[in-house]
Every structure is written in C-alpha cells, then in structure tokens.
Amino acid sequence: MEASNEAAGPEASPSRSGKAAQQDLTSGPIGKTLILFTLPVLGSNVLHSLNGTANAAWVSHVLGPAALTATSNANNILFLMLGAVFGVSMAANLMIAQSVGARDTAKAKTVVGTSTLFFLALSLSVGIGGFLMTPAVLDAMGTPADARGDAVTYLRVIFAAMPFMYFFSFVMMAMRGAGDSKTPFYFSLAAVGLDIVLNPILITGFGPAPRLGIGGSAAATLISQTVVLFAMIAHLYRSDSVLVLSAAEWRRMRPDLAVLKTLLVKGMPMAMHMLVVSGAAVVMISYVNAYGSQTAAAYGAALQLWTYVQMPAMALGAAVSSMAAQNVGAGRMDRVDRVAVLGALFAVAFTGLPVLLIYAIEPIALLLFLPPGSPSAPIAMHINAIALWGFIPFGVAFVFAGVVRATGAVIAPLLAMVVSLWVVRIPFAHLLTPAWGADAVWWSFPLGSFVTLVLAGGYYVWGGWRTSSLMPAPPRGAAPDTGQATPAVAPAARVD
C-alpha cells in the first residue's frame, strides 16, 4: 500500500482491488449478508468433517484397525493443538475485522504483520517440540502397544505439518475478518480435494508414489495444506488484499506490543473455551462407557449425527463474530444488535431443520454408522429423542457468544461454558445416575444447553460487553444507545 494511502489513517480504503464493496459487512441488508457470509463457512466445516471421515475409511480398510486406532490417538493430540490456536486466530480475526470496519488500513496491516510473526514463532515451536516429544506424549495417553509404532510415525509427520496447518488456519480466519468467506471456502475445497486424492496414493504407493503406509495419510495432509497455503497467499497478493504486506511494509512484521497483548489476553480465553468443551466431552464418554459397548456404540453414532447438527450454529457463530466486529469498528452498534437478533433467529431455523430431518429419517441415518439390526440402534434413537433437540438453544447461545466476543468480551462466554458444562451438566449426570441410569447422562445435554442460553442471552442483554475493548484505540464512529446497556462509546473501556 502506498504511503499516501496509509497516511490517510482511519479513512483509508481497506483495499485497492475494487472489491471492498463486496466484502463490506457494515452496510446493506443484514439478513441476506449474514446468510451469504455463513454458507461458505458452513461449507468449509462440512468439507473438513467429510475429509476426516474419508481419511479414516482409507486407513481402516487398507491398513487395518490398529492403524485406525493409531490415527485416532494421534488426532486427539492434533485437535488439542488446533483448538489451542483457534482462540489466537479468532483474536486476530476480530482485530482485522474491526480495523476493516473502521477503514483503518494501517491498523489492519499492523495486526497482520504482528500476527504473522507470532504464528510463525508459535507454529515452529509447537512443530519442533511436538516432533521430539511424540513418543512421550503417546505413552502418557496410554496408546495401545500394537498401535504405538504407527501412531509415532503418523503424529511426527503431523507435527512436521503443524507450521503450515497453523498458518493455513490463521490466513483463513484473517480473510473472514476482512469480510471474505467465499475465498476461504474455495481454498478449503482445494485442500480437502487434494488430501482425499493423495491419501490412497501415498498410503498404498500407487503408481510412481512411494508406499508410505500410515505416514502417507499424514503426508497427504502436509502436502495439501502446504500447496494450498502458498496458492492462497499468492491469490492475496494478486488481488492486492489488505492482508498482504509489500516490501516497503515489511517493517510491520516488527512485533506491536499492543497487538501481541490482545492476541494473548483475548485469544487465550477463547482457546480455553475449546479445552473446556473437549475436557467435558471426555468426562461424558467415561460415563457412557460404564454402560457397556452397545450403549457406547449408540452414543458414538449419535455423536456423528450431532456433529452435523451443530455445524450451522458454529458457522453462524463465526459469521456473526466477523460481521459484528466490522460494525463495531465502524461504530454501528445498532447494526450489531440486529446481527444478533437475526443470527439467533437463523440459528433456530438452521439448527431446527436438521434436527427435524434426523427425527424423520433416523433409522436410515443411523445405518451410516451402525450395521443393520444393530442392538445399538434403538438406544441411539432413545438418546436422540432426549438430547438432539437441545442443540437448538445451544445454537442460539453460540450466536450470542459470537456477537459478544466481537467487542473483545471473551471472559463471560468462557465462564458461561464452564458453568453449563462443569457446574451443571457433569454434576447432574453424576448425581442422578443412581436414580435415572443412563437417562441422567442424556438429559444433562439439553439441560446444559438451556443453561448456556440463559447465561449467554442474559449477558448479551444486560452485560457490559458493549463497553469492552479489543484494541487499545477505540473504534471510530458514534454508537447509539440501544436502551439495553451502557452506550458503546464510554470514557473508559471495560476489560473482560
């Protein structure tokens, strides 16, 4: 970006490519914009889930159950590592969105420069450290002996891919923060497609490719993420995106302490959110396992369906965060509230429809995960009858949390999740199991969802998130009083 454009400060255009109007989330019809922004995010989530399913199928059918166990153990570590970096990526996403919304190109580029350096250092540290500690980590997990060798091979290649995976995630989130959800979807499609094609080739050594066994599955991820990452960066430079730095702007790679502080202070609670959810899931599985393999298989099948039911809400949560953050940066708190209301309504519809569809075709849907006539199928249907509809209030709560985070208020959503999962859901299941049996576990899911909705919705209506600050400099623009809380622009920013 030329010096003259940077000198314009907050009024500078977010892009010289002429595409800014297509990526502006601060004007136009909110409902249509939100849906069009959400659909590519949802598509990306579905693609990655299908990719995981396809990879697991190849490993299982070609290499056997021990290899599948190895990948399952290694993927637990992978998901933990990706979940930890998710919060920092989201913090960068929100800072970029606020800067773009405020038309502050210089600030957006400062965030990009500092975040790039931060992610390079973090990903290299995790990759090298994880590669060296892989055997010890798998031993600590109690990985079965017959799967340990494959797990070491697989996880070490994954750790070698970690720098590219981390940076891939960061660039995807940054583009969404700048208002573009379609381009990340297209590159996700390319990465997933390449991964699916390379998996059987590298596992079996098809044609001139070497036979790498289980290492081939991980190598497919490494190659696909790396190739598509560089293609994505090249596209950003060709389109003259606000997210790229010219040679004259490389000075912005120097760490900006304020941006670094925000990445850590705001990013870590969002990362903790993922860990809180993952930890609670492990506890719930331990309760389920106590009822035997048939119930555990039924719960596993139900979980597979729940994954797809939750996807629309998760995509909406990511979309409303980016959209709300741009409007916060523009000082349009009136639009932020409308984003929240419409997002909540869409969450009811987009989550309710797959719930109704599953109830309508449940016996057929369960055949995807359970063999015909399986005694686990009636148990899975009983589980869904109690718990599946509870994801509708969860979806609404996810939207409210996404809007609240757009201002930098990240502690309240974390506390809401801690209370709903660790203070309500898990104790409820534990204390009522003697009287209700497994039903105590199933009823704990909708109960936890309702508690999450009450806490997230209550904080949205009455909490002080409108006075929170993500970055040291307040967003430009006047913010009208909504009548629900303190006006958005206050003399002192509240730290959440």
Side-chain angles (χ1 to χ4, degrees):
M1 198 69 68
E2 289 100 334
S4 60
N5 202 10
E6 282 188 24
E11 300 300 326
S13 168
S15 171
R16 289 178 295 160
S17 64
K19 301 179 181 179
Q22 299 175 8
Q23 300 178 357
D24 182 11
L25 305 179
T26 64
S27 61
I30 291 176
K32 178 180 178 182
T33 303
L34 182 56
I35 290 177
L36 292 178
F37 192 85
T38 299
L39 289 177
V41 180
L42 175 60
S44 296
N45 293 344
V46 172
L47 282 173
H48 286 291
S49 292
L50 293 175
N51 185 36
T53 301
N55 291 352
W58 276 111
V59 169
S60 175
H61 287 86
V62 176
L63 301 176
L68 183 61
T69 300
T71 60
S72 298
N73 276 260
N75 282 335
N76 283 329
I77 304 299
L78 171 62
F79 296 149
L80 183 64
M81 295 294 99
L82 292 177
V85 80
F86 166 82
V88 183
S89 297
M90 179 59 76
N93 168 292
L94 296 176
M95 282 191 286
I96 291 169
Q98 284 197 10
S99 300
V100 170
R103 304 298 191 267
D104 192 344
T105 300
K107 172 61 76 174
K109 287 182 175 289
T110 298
V111 173
V112 170
T114 299
S115 299
T116 297
L117 186 65
F118 178 85
F119 274 92
L120 285 174
L122 177 65
S123 61
L124 287 173
S125 299
V126 171
I128 295 172
F131 186 91
L132 297 175
M133 296 178 62
T134 290
V137 170
L138 291 172
D139 288 343
M141 290 178 60
T143 303
D146 61 342
R148 185 182 182 280
D150 281 345
V152 169
T153 301
Y154 182 86
L155 189 55
R156 277 189 160 159
V157 179
I158 287 294
F159 273 119
M162 197 66 71
F164 305 99
M165 298 176 74
Y166 270 20
F167 206 68
F168 186 91
S169 174
F170 162 61
V171 176
M172 297 267 288
M173 296 283 279
M175 282 194 286
R176 290 171 183 161
D180 181 8
S181 63
K182 292 182 180 179
T183 304
F185 168 73
Y186 296 141
F187 281 107
S188 289
L189 183 61
V192 168
L194 185 58
D195 196 343
I196 291 176
V197 170
L198 289 177
N199 244 277
I201 292 175
L202 295 179
I203 289 174
T204 62
F206 181 79
R211 181 182 176 88
L212 300 178
I214 195 169
S217 181
T221 300
L222 169 60
I223 294 171
S224 62
Q225 295 270 319
T226 304
V227 170
V228 177
L229 171 62
F230 282 106
M232 192 159 48
I233 293 173
H235 166 78
L236 291 175
Y237 271 97
R238 283 197 307 270
S239 62
D240 200 13
S241 169
V242 69
L243 301 176
V244 299
L245 304 176
S246 65
E249 295 169 328
W250 284 354
R251 66 186 185 280
R252 296 191 183 279
M253 294 284 286
R254 292 197 301 265
D256 182 288
L257 295 182
V259 173
L260 275 177
K261 180 180 178 182
T262 300
L263 286 173
L264 294 172
V265 174
K266 303 297 185 179
M268 292 312 296
M270 287 188 279
M272 285 299 299
H273 181 278
M274 303 295 290
L275 298 178
V276 165
V277 173
S278 299
V282 171
V283 174
M284 298 307 289
I285 288 175
S286 70
Y287 287 155
V288 173
N289 288 340
Y291 291 96
S293 59
Q294 297 296 344
T295 299
Y299 180 64
L303 278 179
Q304 291 291 332
L305 295 176
W306 295 358
T307 297
Y308 290 95
V309 170
Q310 293 177 81
M311 280 184 183
M314 297 179 70
L316 270 170
V320 298
S321 284
S322 297
M323 192 168 182
Q326 278 204 20
N327 283 280
V328 168
R332 294 296 309 275
M333 291 301 289
D334 57 322
R335 283 178 62 86
V336 171
D337 283 313
R338 284 155 60 199
V339 167
V341 172
L342 286 174
L345 293 175
F346 289 154
V348 172
F350 292 172
T351 308
L353 285 176
V355 167
L356 292 175
L357 178 62
I358 288 174
Y359 280 142
I361 62 168
E362 192 169 14
I364 299 174
L366 288 173
L367 289 176
L368 296 172
F369 312 106
L370 296 171
S374 170
S376 296
I379 302 174
M381 294 178 68
H382 177 69
I383 294 172
N384 282 333
I386 295 174
L388 185 62
W389 59 272
F391 287 102
I392 298 175
F394 167 82
V396 178
F398 209 84
V399 166
F400 284 140
V403 172
V404 163
R405 290 191 190 100
T407 62
V410 295
I411 299 298
L414 172 63
L415 292 178
M417 193 59 65
V418 170
V419 170
S420 65
L421 295 183
W422 291 91
V423 179
V424 175
R425 176 182 291 176
I426 290 175
F428 180 91
H430 180 76
L431 294 175
L432 289 186
T433 290
W436 291 11
D439 279 357
V441 178
W442 317 142
W443 278 109
S444 72
F445 284 96
L447 175 62
S449 295
F450 267 106
V451 171
T452 306
L453 175 59
V454 169
L455 295 176
Y459 186 73
Y460 169 78
V461 175
W462 296 293
W465 61 275
R466 291 171 176 81
T467 61
S468 296
S469 176
L470 182 65
M471 295 184 288
R476 71 172 180 88
D481 190 348
T482 63
Q484 294 176 308
T486 310
V489 178
R494 182 176 178 274
V495 178
D496 267 271

